[in-house]
Amino acid sequence: MRLLLLLLLFAPGLFAIDMKDVDRDTLRHVRLALLEDEVRRHFGLRVGDFESLDQAVDLRLADDKQLLLLRLDTKAAAVLIHTGKTDHAGVHLFIDVEPRLGAQVLFDGKFVALRCRASDGKLPETTRLLRLQQGKLQLCLEWTSQEEYVLENGRYIEKTTRKLEQDGSLQLLERREHLLDGKLLEGGLATKTTPLQDRPEGLVAGVASEEAISVSTHCALARALERDRLNEAALHHARLAQARALAGKLAGDDAGKLEALSLTARLEARLRPVESK
């Protein structure tokens, strides 16, 4: 009887969720989740008097387990829903997210990826990876999945994407592209593969292998962009060449390192604001 009364009290607030986006089963799972005191307190809701949720998404995990994702502004809750003769909410996990949130089930329901952005179409994008581990929900990995560095009034973009792949074991694959007017610059692609080790506390990054852009290629790109009077982009590559030379511990008299230093100094001087007297 008490359960029925609580469900009835919850009904007005639940129907504030956009019914076009929430089906009947999801709505029923929302009701079950909000019967949990800790879930209501996380969102600052009260029985019979609470703010409407911004999102409610039902996801199916491995072994036909059901995961409900709830969001109110930047607060989110993942709640395991047990379905059967007596449906009820199980373990839950509270996380902070950005206001734009999408969810995707990965690898036959082993993981749920939450893709978070501050606003529609705006980067960077952060991905948070959830899983059910030893009967508990776990935030097992978090990374920047998409980002851009824009110069020259949008003509030049350094675009970086990182995605999770499973090829025997889990790996995080990074692809960094240097684009001019939407086209990949010759030699302007770098990749990195980071193996992920499964630990009780989550997925831990192992030793990465990469195919980086060389010092000489960065210098060549800087010179080409300088010739096209794209000095901001040219300086960016000169600095990347310098950083690569330092990372590679090149000798002080190395030709590539000296060229990177020379390009950086010249372009910085050219772009330095002129002080008015």
Side-chain angles (χ1 to χ4, degrees):
M1 184 67 181
R2 179 176 177 271
L3 177 61
L4 179 60
L5 288 173
L6 286 172
L7 287 172
L8 291 173
L9 286 169
F10 268 48
L14 292 173
F15 278 94
I17 302 172
D18 190 344
M19 295 299 294
K20 293 182 294 185
D21 298 326
V22 179
D23 59 30
R24 183 177 300 176
D25 286 340
T26 300
L27 187 59
R28 179 167 52 86
H29 294 162
V30 171
R31 291 176 175 175
L32 293 172
L34 290 177
L35 289 175
E36 298 294 319
D37 292 341
E38 289 186 357
V39 175
R40 292 201 310 278
R41 282 198 296 268
H42 176 67
F43 292 115
L45 305 178
R46 295 179 298 175
V47 175
D49 180 21
F50 54 88
E51 298 177 56
S52 61
L53 293 166
D54 293 318
Q55 272 183 285
V57 182
D58 243 343
L59 303 159
R60 187 168 293 279
L61 303 181
D63 301 324
D64 289 329
K65 290 183 172 64
Q66 201 75 24
L67 184 71
L68 177 69
L69 179 67
L70 303 175
R71 183 182 66 83
L72 177 59
D73 194 20
T74 59
K75 292 182 177 181
V79 184
L80 192 68
I81 302 295
H82 297 275
T83 58
K85 292 183 179 179
T86 56
D87 294 356
H88 64 279
V91 295
H92 52 261
L93 175 69
F94 300 141
I95 53 176
D96 292 328
V97 295
E98 286 72 24
R100 296 295 178 268
L101 176 65
Q104 180 184 9
V105 176
L106 300 178
F107 310 134
D108 298 323
K110 294 179 182 178
F111 299 94
V112 170
L114 307 183
R115 309 193 188 283
C116 312
R117 299 189 184 195
S119 61
D120 288 335
K122 185 177 181 180
L123 296 177
E125 176 186 271
T126 300
T127 296
R128 296 174 174 90
L129 195 69
L130 309 183
R131 68 175 174 180
L132 187 62
Q133 178 78 343
Q134 296 181 345
K136 296 181 179 180
L137 289 169
Q138 180 187 67
L139 174 59
C140 57
L141 188 66
E142 180 175 341
W143 72 94
T144 302
S145 45
Q146 291 189 56
E147 59 184 327
E148 289 182 350
Y149 183 59
V150 181
L151 295 169
E152 307 294 354
N153 295 317
R155 291 190 62 194
Y156 174 93
I157 299 176
E158 180 186 289
K159 179 181 178 181
T160 305
T161 57
R162 300 176 185 91
K163 64 179 181 177
L164 195 67
E165 290 203 356
Q166 189 173 36
D167 183 13
S169 60
L170 287 172
Q171 301 173 333
L172 195 62
L173 303 183
E174 177 183 299
R175 180 181 175 91
R176 190 181 301 266
E177 301 171 289
H178 299 270
L179 308 169
L180 181 61
D181 297 328
K183 296 181 179 179
L184 181 67
L185 292 170
E186 185 175 355
L189 172 64
T191 61
K192 182 165 68 173
T193 301
T194 304
L196 298 172
Q197 301 169 1
D198 197 342
R199 302 280 177 80
E201 66 272 19
L203 300 176
V204 179
V207 178
S209 61
E210 61 179 323
E211 294 184 10
I213 299 173
S214 67
V215 173
S216 59
T217 299
H218 273 307
C219 287
L221 289 169
R223 292 194 304 270
L225 291 163
E226 184 184 18
R227 287 194 298 271
D228 290 338
R229 299 183 179 181
L230 299 172
N231 292 318
E232 288 181 333
L235 176 58
H236 178 55
H237 278 280
R239 287 172 171 167
L240 290 174
Q242 188 175 340
R244 177 56 55 185
L246 290 172
K249 298 180 180 180
L250 299 183
D253 59 353
D254 181 86
K257 183 176 182 178
L258 291 173
E259 183 180 17
L261 292 170
S262 175
L263 281 167
T264 300
R266 183 172 74 244
L267 289 162
E268 285 179 341
R270 183 176 300 164
L271 291 170
R272 188 176 299 125
V274 178
E275 296 182 4
S276 58
K277 296 182 179 180

